[in-house]
Amino acid sequence: DVQSECLQLFRLLDSYLKHRTATKNKMHGEEVLGIPSKFVYRSLRRNKKQLDGEIKSIEQKILSLVKEDQQQQLTLLTSVPGIGPKTALFLIVVTDGFKKFESASQLCSYVGITPTIRESGSSVRGRARISKVGN
């Protein structure tokens, strides 16, 4: 199933992105130390280069799978200002082409962009914020 494969690819992509960030931070930490070990720095650079390649190939695979199945949805979403290809792919995969939800409010709650009002009786009145609960 295209949907389940795309979800698995997104989970793998997330893992690789976290690993690449950790590697970049380690490289920066080695540079800040003053005299970084050339062997360690080269190893980290090779690791980052390999992760970059894997990330790129996973993104291309997701794009090709979604284009096969949901080309029209992808075109419509990327035509919206502020939504790029990565966001459009994520929305299509997570929502199964928007088939999982009947209304926009259900989608907003699932994604985690609904406003949350913080108040308790008459004494506590906080600003309304976006709830960060959800995907």
Side-chain angles (χ1 to χ4, degrees), residues 12-27:
L12 183 63
L13 178 64
D14 186 49
S15 172
Y16 283 169
L17 287 171
K18 286 178 183 175
H19 192 74
R20 183 179 69 176
T21 301
T23 303
K24 285 167 125 177
N25 290 342
K26 193 145 191 69
M27 288 172 67

Side-chain angles (χ1 to χ4, degrees), residues 23-78:
T23 303
K24 285 167 125 177
N25 290 342
K26 193 145 191 69
M27 288 172 67
H28 178 70
E30 294 296 326
E31 290 170 0
V32 170
L33 284 176
I35 307 169
S37 166
K38 289 180 181 174
F39 180 80
V40 170
Y41 196 77
R42 270 190 245 131
S43 176
L44 289 171
R45 199 169 48 221
R46 279 193 310 268
N47 189 8
K48 183 184 168 292
K49 189 174 181 178
Q50 180 187 11
L51 287 168
D52 286 338
E54 288 294 321
I55 288 169
K56 189 174 182 176
S57 68
I58 290 171
E59 287 174 345
Q60 289 174 346
K61 178 68 174 172
I62 292 171
L63 181 63
S64 68
L65 286 172
V66 170
K67 275 187 175 181
E68 284 177 17
D69 202 39
Q70 305 274 344
Q71 177 62 47
Q72 185 179 7
Q73 291 273 344
L74 185 63
T75 305
L76 287 172
L77 277 173
T78 52

